[in-house]
Amino acid sequence: MSPTLNQVTGPAYTRIYSFGAARGENAVPNDDLIGPIDSSDEWIRQRTGIVTRARADKGTDAIDLAAIAAAEAIEKSGVAADQIDLVIVATISNPKQSPSVSAIVADRVGANPAAAYDVNAACAGYAYAITQADALIRAGAARYALVIGTEKLSDVVDPTDRSISFLLGDGAGAALIGPSDTPGIAPAVWGSDGSKADAVGMNATLTEFRDGEVPWPTLRQEGQTVFRWAVWEMAKVAREALEKAGVEPTDIAAFIPHQANMRIIDEFAKQLKLPETTVIARDIETTGNTSAASIPLATHRLMAEHPELSGGLALQIGFGAGLVFAAQVVVLP
């Protein structure tokens, strides 16, 4: 007779314990970027809502930003670093193809020998990673998870590209997740539409760059395609996330969408019919679009400015390159 394998199960529920954040050291106003794209401060503000964006020093990379944000989240959580047994980093700007950002950060913050891996889901990466951490903890594969979204997008931007160059910033946001006596992370609505993958992403491959066929690859987008998809399709996803969580728009204390564009954020709120009491994250105004880092960065700032949100429900939704998306409702720590 074959032996019976052991399998494990974890706690019934999870929650977010704390957040940490790090932004690029430099505030870069619109006026510093308008020359190469033949634009104006007024044009950028009207189209995106961005006044300035955070960008990191040349010697600072996505790993450095992630470690700073992670250290703050750990300190605030009350969980010792050596008790963290899972580290997931969402990023598209690892300075190297390998090793992973997550393994290096786990070591820097004292979480060795935690399981560690990176997620590449662009602007939906953080929400993807939260979904995975929640599932892995409830499955018994981990007890405490550190989830980080980190980006240094200034390394992959063409200053002359009018489609995206003025949008991007640098930063990292981290969340510490663990067991809970009550539900703290609702089921996610996530997916992708790879048929429209060319709408936003890198404009060339590293092998083409290596072979001298193209310049250094940078991010670019088809602005109108992304705008229409985000406004119409992602509003449907957000409504589905509310249904899965078993709550109504009137129950939502905070709305924290990916900080892609202020016009998208405003249209989202309108489509979802959120009440006036819902606090809406608008971190993009002074941080810019930080892809996988944008939701945790926006949440960190929102909670600092509105401590009364603690214990309330937040609807978060990420969406981006490869037309990947993820939305869910969480309880704020």
Side-chain angles (χ1 to χ4, degrees):
M1 184 174 67
S2 299
T4 301
L5 294 177
N6 291 330
Q7 286 195 298
V8 297
T9 56
Y13 310 118
T14 66
R15 65 181 175 89
I16 298 173
Y17 288 20
S18 59
F19 284 95
R23 288 175 171 80
E25 300 91 337
N26 308 297
V28 180
N30 293 334
D31 285 340
D32 286 4
L33 305 179
I34 58 178
I37 59 172
D38 190 24
S39 186
S40 67
D41 172 64
E42 181 183 12
W43 184 84
I44 293 175
R45 291 189 190 218
Q46 287 180 346
R47 292 182 65 87
T48 70
I50 298 174
V51 176
T52 186
R53 73 280 297 137
R55 288 193 173 173
D57 290 338
K58 183 177 181 180
T60 300
D61 61 23
I63 301 170
D64 300 321
L65 294 166
I68 295 169
E72 182 187 352
I74 294 169
E75 181 181 0
K76 287 182 175 179
S77 72
V79 176
D82 61 5
Q83 296 300 302
I84 297 167
D85 44 14
L86 174 63
V87 179
I88 309 174
V89 172
T91 187
I92 59 170
S93 48
N94 185 347
K96 295 181 179 179
Q97 293 291 98
S98 184
S100 67
V101 173
S102 54
I104 297 171
V105 171
D107 178 62
R108 287 194 188 180
V109 300
N112 268 341
Y117 64 93
D118 291 357
V119 172
N120 182 339
C123 310
Y126 170 78
Y128 265 54
I130 290 288
T131 300
Q132 293 176 42
D134 163 57
L136 288 167
I137 292 171
R138 289 188 292 108
R143 182 163 178 82
Y144 295 108
L146 181 62
V147 169
I148 308 165
T150 186
E151 304 289 8
K152 189 182 180 187
L153 299 178
S154 57
D155 283 344
V156 288
V157 63
D158 175 359
T160 67
D161 185 348
R162 285 177 61 92
S163 76
I164 203 168
S165 64
F166 52 89
L167 290 169
L168 305 179
D170 303 332
L176 200 292
I177 300 170
S180 175
D181 294 332
T182 56
I185 300 175
V189 178
W190 58 344
S192 66
D193 183 3
S195 69
K196 298 183 179 67
D198 291 340
V200 56
M202 303 301 289
N203 61 0
T205 67
L206 288 177
T207 51
E208 289 171 327
F209 173 70
R210 177 200 64 193
D211 295 340
E213 299 171 3
V214 297
W216 175 247
T218 56
L219 285 167
R220 39 76 54 203
Q221 69 173 347
E222 296 173 6
Q224 286 303 311
T225 300
V226 173
F227 183 88
R228 287 193 295 268
W229 173 74
V231 167
W232 301 110
E233 297 304 318
M234 292 306 97
K236 298 175 187 175
V237 170
R239 282 192 288 268
E240 188 177 346
L242 291 173
E243 292 174 8
K244 274 202 169 186
V247 300
E248 300 293 332
T250 51
D251 297 318
I252 299 300
F255 177 46
I256 311 171
H258 164 50
Q259 303 291 291
N261 181 308
M262 196 75 81
R263 292 165 61 205
I264 292 176
I265 294 171
D266 290 340
E267 188 60 34
F268 256 149
K270 180 180 176 183
Q271 295 255 346
L272 293 173
K273 296 181 171 60
L274 296 172
E276 291 184 4
T277 53
T278 300
V279 181
I280 300 173
R282 301 182 187 279
D283 190 49
I284 189 171
E285 182 178 19
T286 55
T287 301
N289 178 342
T290 54
S291 190
S294 78
I295 292 175
L297 277 174
T299 307
H300 182 275
R301 172 165 283 170
L302 207 65
M303 295 195 66
E305 295 175 347
H306 299 275
E308 72 278 7
L309 292 173
S310 179
L313 298 181
L315 170 62
Q316 62 182 31
I317 178 167
F319 50 90
L323 298 203
V324 294
F325 58 85
Q328 63 204 149
V329 176
V330 301
V331 176
L332 294 171

